[in-house]
Amino acid sequence: MTNIPSQTSGVQLLEVSPELAGQRIDNFLRTQLKGVPKTLIYRILRKGEVRVNKGRIKPEYKLQAGDMVRVPPLRIAERDEPVPLAQGLLERLETAILYEDKALMVINKPAGIAVHGGSGLSFGVIEALRQLRPECKELELVHRLDRDTSGLLMVAKKRSMLRHLHEQLRGDGVDKRYMALVRGRWDSGKKQVSAPLLKNTLRSGERMVEVTSDGKEALTLFRVLRRFGDFATLVEAKPVTGRTHQIRVHARHAGHGIAGDSKYGDEGFFSGNSRTGRQTPVPACLCLDGAATRWSGIEARSACR
């Protein structure tokens, strides 16, 4: 095992500039504290060791221009530049970029790639994009997709665009729709699932979400797109709220697990066709895709549409 030299920083006082106003404190610290593990950042936030204007704050606190952020002494690993990622992966993500301008990038994220590193992963989409676009110093995820979910992912190249899209996401300015292949015959009359969701973290670090009266309000709109007899249905899902694993859990709650979903859905969907007993010639993967996104008069679609 290679020992990585480390050093202990002193107390840091960081003043929030106007262009960073509106950013969450956890995201702010992740970009400001280079070399500090994400787990350590959240630990000092939970313990109240990070102060803003001499007061305790929560990880979701949104910074204001002129805020003074006090960061306690931290043991920081001394690392060189990030290890270059495989050229094949970088090329794959480069070809997956569907839209790009000076302030925004939209990528058709492949299934199986996390949107960011952490929890045992050394990299994700955002780390790869920062290597692809080293001149873009403010690249940030606008939203997230599950690791096993494919589809459209928005990445802001400027803080102003990040704030604008967060405001749009909180209102009705962004329309996100997904396509999912579910087990069984979805009733066309079932157009929405409204069920509160509660997120739990297991000892292993895995996140699990369940329907419970103690959870947060959650609403998903569904529309039947195509039927495959009584065996499966292709549906469009529009999450009105943005809870973790919302579509996957709501589909299961409706009695139609998503094909290939080992956590909430129908993991055995691809093991065989229940009507014929023959193997299904389709790779076993989560059949959920962020298929279309519309914002500010711009529309992007994944390859699934």
Side-chain angles (χ1 to χ4, degrees):
M1 182 176 69
T2 302
N3 290 323
I4 300 175
S6 62
Q7 61 182 2
T8 301
S9 67
V11 172
Q12 299 182 61
L13 290 176
L14 307 173
E15 182 175 359
V16 179
S17 57
E19 61 269 19
L20 298 180
Q23 188 176 26
R24 282 174 47 138
I25 182 67
D26 53 351
N27 292 330
F28 171 79
L29 293 176
R30 287 171 59 186
T31 56
Q32 296 293 317
L33 304 178
K34 303 298 185 183
V36 177
K38 184 174 68 171
T39 52
L40 177 55
I41 290 175
Y42 282 99
R43 187 182 310 141
I44 61 177
L45 282 169
R46 286 196 304 269
K47 290 183 175 180
E49 296 178 25
V50 175
R51 303 295 177 95
V52 175
N53 303 328
K54 300 183 179 180
R56 292 192 176 194
I57 39 79
K58 295 182 178 181
E60 58 267 24
Y61 172 79
K62 293 184 179 178
L63 295 164
Q64 303 297 320
D67 277 353
M68 292 300 299
V69 181
R70 179 192 182 277
V71 181
L74 299 172
R75 196 164 185 81
I76 305 172
E78 295 179 351
R79 296 182 182 271
D80 297 326
E81 291 297 312
V83 177
L85 301 178
Q87 188 62 33
L89 172 63
L90 296 178
E91 292 175 355
R92 184 182 180 191
L93 291 178
E94 180 75 60
T95 59
I97 296 173
L98 301 180
Y99 175 87
E100 184 173 9
D101 59 25
K102 294 181 179 180
L104 179 68
M105 179 188 303
V106 180
I107 183 170
N108 188 14
K109 186 189 85 67
I113 302 178
V115 293
H116 58 70
S119 301
L121 299 173
S122 58
F123 72 92
V125 171
I126 190 63
E127 288 83 9
L129 291 178
R130 285 169 180 159
Q131 290 196 26
L132 279 173
R133 301 287 189 275
E135 71 281 3
C136 298
K137 305 299 183 182
E138 299 181 343
L139 277 179
E140 293 289 348
L141 295 167
V142 174
H143 61 103
R144 301 181 184 185
L145 290 177
D146 294 342
R147 181 180 181 181
D148 293 327
T149 300
S150 60
L152 301 178
L153 181 69
M154 294 188 291
V155 179
K157 299 169 71 174
K158 293 183 179 296
R159 300 286 185 193
S160 56
M161 176 59 74
L162 183 66
R163 291 197 300 272
H164 170 69
L165 287 175
H166 279 173
E167 291 174 358
Q168 296 290 302
L169 285 167
R170 286 192 293 270
D172 298 324
V174 177
D175 181 12
K176 294 192 299 180
R177 297 172 188 258
Y178 296 75
M179 290 171 59
L181 182 67
V182 301
R183 168 79 80 171
R185 184 180 181 85
W186 188 290
D187 185 352
S188 296
K190 193 171 189 61
K191 299 184 182 298
Q192 69 176 44
V193 174
S194 178
L197 301 178
L198 180 65
K199 179 171 62 176
N200 294 308
T201 303
L202 306 181
R203 287 186 177 181
S204 62
E206 182 182 12
R207 293 180 301 172
M208 292 292 293
V209 178
E210 61 181 351
V211 174
T212 171
S213 59
D214 298 333
K216 294 182 178 180
E217 177 185 358
L219 173 64
T220 307
L221 306 181
F222 288 95
R223 180 169 67 93
V224 172
L225 298 177
R226 183 179 178 185
R227 299 191 189 282
F228 301 91
D230 292 331
F231 180 67
T233 308
L234 183 66
V235 297
E236 178 187 79
K238 179 182 178 181
V240 178
T241 51
R243 311 302 179 202
T244 300
H245 300 168
Q246 177 174 317
I247 296 174
R248 298 163 67 182
V249 180
H250 274 177
R252 182 187 68 175
H253 185 67
H256 302 278
I258 295 179
D261 189 349
S262 61
K263 183 175 290 188
Y264 304 108
D266 196 332
E267 185 179 15
F269 184 93
F270 298 104
S271 61
N273 188 310
S274 59
R275 294 175 300 175
T276 65
R278 294 179 296 181
Q279 290 297 111
T280 306
V282 181
C285 61
L286 177 65
C287 292
L288 176 64
D289 182 85
T293 302
R294 302 180 184 89
W295 74 98
S296 301
I298 301 173
E299 178 175 352
R301 294 179 179 270
S302 76
C304 287
R305 294 290 286 200

